Amino acid sequence: MSDLLIKDGTIVTMDPKRRILKDGYVAIEKGRIVDLGRSGRIKAEYKSAEEVIDASGKAVLPGLISGHTHAALTLIRGLADGMRLDELARKWLWPFESSLRPEDSYAAAQLACLEMMKAGVTCFADMHFNMGEVARAVQDSGLRASLSFAMMDQGDIPLTFEEAVRQNEDLVEEWHQKAEGRITCMFGPCTVRVASAELFLKARRLAGKHKVGIHLHLSEVEEDVKLIQDRFKKSPVKHLYDMGILGSDVLAAHCVWLNDEDMRILERAKVNVVHNPTSNVKTSAGIARVADMIALGINVGLGVDAAVCNNTLDMFWEMRVASLIQGMSQMRPGQLPPETALEMATINNAKALGIENEVGSIEVGKKADLILVELKQPHLTPLVERPKLNLLSHLVYAVSGRDVDTTIIDGRVVMHHRNVLTVDEAEVLRKAEETLYKVLDRSGLATQTKSE
């Protein structure tokens, strides 16, 4: 007997054959998928499952994965519009982040986890400060996450080399493989502009020692390239490659300002790139050459970055934006088709986090991270099979996170019929607003908000 049976849904497996099973079922036992197929052929031992979810009229997908996020910055969404990244950092990020206390980061991370669960995101990669509190919010919510401390020893955040190293190593030692294995950790040398070469090298050595990956920002804005070019007469990609930082365990966020040699290096080093289209467009950072990277064989995932430069943590929205702007940037539609966008948000991101054998697709033996999307709605009608199935088009171009009916993580139902079961939604919202005003007052940003 299985613990949970999902039946009569349209199963979008994202398995190696990219099968879509109409009127399908998924049987789950002890948090893992033990069987799937056509509902008319459900084995007798699964029919008496402890819990049965009727997925009629719904698509069943692997849980979406956000490959790059800053949960604490969810608190200041919509407060810093119309700024490029440097101005945003100077006017908002540094003052806000310098004033964050551990309890503030917990409240912010709870809000982010709540939003992601309701939007069908079951796993995310996060880099910021007070990461022990972010880990606690992940544990309490039931989500899966890869966490790293934003290691920096230069710039406006008052951290020393030793403090940056200690905080990230403490995070790894305390939280890696905790929360029933839902939490993993990486080392997070933030970016070439705020982390010294020595800090990058230390992160590389510690990643090897603890057998974890590295999460960093790479060539996000043109200023990154100019700085390293002026100092070292090479691009940031070549700079990090020559130092021995880049490898298959690296998650490189953004990668907007790449030349052809940079892309060849990333492919040679098997670096995982995470594209953040909404953030890059909103801050006028640029449009990454995603189609070119994929054509070269680079694994490219997808992320929402931070709500302060995105406004939402909705990965369905991010898939839509990624697909549309890639065609626009080359004036050729179809450069990033719906299936590719779905791959980026599921199995590609799982590979980037080193957990592709556990999640990212609906396959027997994998952990049961699944979402159910309600299809019987005007904006998703008609759903046709001939002459061509339009389901994937609907999922990428028309669905939003608000269409997610059910979210399942590790075989546990954390949201059903839009009701979140692991946290008190009203209390999370109340605490987030209360926390924001405290941080704004503490940082002096409240006065700036009023004057603007």
Side-chain angles (χ1 to χ4, degrees):
M1 184 175 69
S2 63
D3 303 324
L4 176 63
L5 176 68
I6 302 166
K7 65 183 185 72
D8 300 330
T10 300
I11 316 296
V12 182
T13 66
M14 301 308 294
D15 68 6
K17 295 183 179 180
R18 303 296 186 257
R19 291 180 300 159
I20 297 177
L21 306 177
K22 187 180 178 183
D23 298 324
Y25 75 93
V26 181
I28 299 163
E29 184 177 344
K30 295 180 180 178
R32 291 190 181 270
I33 299 166
V34 294
D35 197 14
L36 71 156
R38 305 285 181 183
S39 290
R41 302 173 187 170
I42 299 176
K43 296 177 183 177
E45 60 263 38
Y46 303 135
K47 291 183 178 179
S48 55
E50 293 180 13
E51 183 177 3
V52 177
I53 294 179
D54 183 356
S56 300
K58 297 178 178 64
V60 182
L61 280 70
L64 303 184
I65 301 171
S66 177
H68 180 65
T69 315
H70 304 289
L73 299 180
T74 306
L75 287 182
I76 51 174
R77 77 170 94 224
L79 294 180
D81 293 343
M83 299 181 195
R84 288 178 60 86
L85 186 61
D86 279 9
E87 182 183 9
L88 174 63
R90 186 177 66 256
K91 289 186 175 180
W92 278 93
L93 297 188
W94 300 141
F96 178 80
E97 291 168 332
S98 297
S99 301
L100 277 176
R101 295 174 179 171
E103 62 270 21
D104 304 328
S105 293
Y106 178 76
Q110 273 203 315
L111 175 63
C113 288
L114 173 64
E115 180 180 355
M116 286 188 280
M117 281 191 292
K118 298 201 75 172
V121 175
T122 57
C123 176
F124 67 105
D126 197 84
M127 175 201 290
H128 210 249
F129 311 111
N130 301 322
M131 292 306 293
E133 293 303 303
V134 176
R136 192 162 64 87
V138 171
Q139 177 177 256
D140 293 348
S141 69
L143 269 164
R144 191 180 307 282
S146 172
L147 306 178
S148 54
F149 180 80
M151 300 172 74
M152 53 182 72
D153 58 350
Q154 300 177 5
D156 295 323
I157 292 291
L159 281 174
T160 65
F161 176 95
E162 291 76 17
E163 287 172 327
V165 170
R166 178 184 58 79
Q167 293 211 41
N168 207 144
E169 192 164 25
D170 286 350
L171 173 71
V172 172
E173 291 176 346
E174 182 177 358
W175 285 101
H176 186 57
Q177 295 295 351
K178 295 298 172 61
E180 297 81 43
R182 289 184 288 105
I183 295 176
T184 58
C185 296
M186 291 185 173
F187 282 87
C190 189
T191 180
V192 291
R193 282 206 282 168
V194 295
S196 66
E198 292 75 20
L199 193 56
F200 271 99
L201 290 169
K202 184 68 172 181
R204 167 45 71 200
R205 288 193 291 270
L206 289 172
K209 171 186 173 182
H210 292 280
K211 296 181 172 57
V212 299
I214 291 177
H215 184 175
L216 52 84
H217 300 76
L218 184 57
S219 297
E220 179 177 2
V221 292
E222 189 176 14
E223 289 81 358
D224 292 341
V225 179
K226 288 181 177 178
L227 175 72
I228 300 304
Q229 188 68 45
D230 289 344
R231 285 185 183 176
F232 303 103
K233 308 306 178 187
K234 60 181 75 172
S235 72
V237 171
K238 185 71 163 57
H239 176 56
L240 294 180
Y241 181 71
D242 288 347
M243 283 199 297
I245 305 301
L246 301 183
S248 60
D249 60 349
V250 170
L251 183 162
H254 300 291
C255 294
V256 175
W257 290 85
L258 303 182
N259 58 37
D260 290 347
E261 181 191 17
D262 289 337
M263 290 195 290
R264 287 192 293 270
I265 289 172
L266 295 178
E267 188 280 327
R268 189 183 314 133
K270 305 304 178 188
V271 171
N272 303 282
V273 171
V274 177
H275 180 40
N276 299 269
T278 302
S279 169
N280 294 155
V281 171
K282 188 176 180 186
T283 60
S284 298
I287 300 175
R289 295 167 59 186
V290 171
D292 292 340
M293 284 190 267
I294 293 173
L296 199 59
I298 297 171
N299 180 54
V300 183
L302 196 63
V304 295
D305 201 8
V308 67
C309 49
N310 188 321
N311 289 73
T312 177
L313 306 182
D314 188 338
M315 283 291 290
F316 283 103
W317 172 268
E318 211 65 26
M319 286 190 284
R320 181 176 190 266
V321 173
S323 181
L324 295 179
I325 68 170
Q326 201 61 204
M328 186 64 202
S329 67
Q330 300 188 32
M331 297 302 290
R332 286 184 295 159
Q335 296 304 296
L336 199 67
E339 182 178 70
T340 302
L342 273 170
E343 289 170 347
M344 292 169 66
T346 54
I347 192 64
N348 289 11
N349 269 341
K351 182 180 179 182
L353 300 182
I355 54 175
E356 71 272 23
N357 293 327
E358 297 284 1
V359 298
S361 60
I362 302 176
E363 299 181 67
V364 171
K366 284 197 170 184
K367 293 185 176 181
D369 287 12
L370 309 170
I371 61 174
L372 277 61
V373 176
E374 180 59 65
L375 298 175
K376 296 295 184 181
Q377 304 189 72
H379 64 287
L380 302 176
T381 302
L383 183 61
V384 300
E385 293 186 53
R386 295 188 304 268
K388 180 181 178 181
L389 181 68
N390 62 351
L391 174 61
L392 298 186
S393 180
H394 284 355
L395 290 174
V396 170
Y397 297 131
V399 166
S400 78
R402 290 183 290 274
D403 298 317
V404 176
D405 174 83
T406 300
T407 301
I408 300 165
I409 304 171
D410 244 6
R412 177 190 184 191
V413 179
V414 298
M415 182 182 77
H416 191 43
H417 297 329
R418 301 293 298 163
N419 296 311
V420 175
L421 306 177
T422 56
V423 298
D424 183 335
E425 182 169 352
E427 177 60 17
V428 169
L429 299 181
R430 185 198 68 77
K431 188 65 177 178
E433 289 203 351
E434 176 187 277
T435 299
L436 169 62
Y437 291 120
K438 288 180 179 178
V439 180
L440 290 178
D441 288 339
R442 195 183 304 137
S443 64
L445 289 168
T447 303
Q448 179 176 306
T449 305
K450 291 175 184 177
S451 65
E452 292 179 352

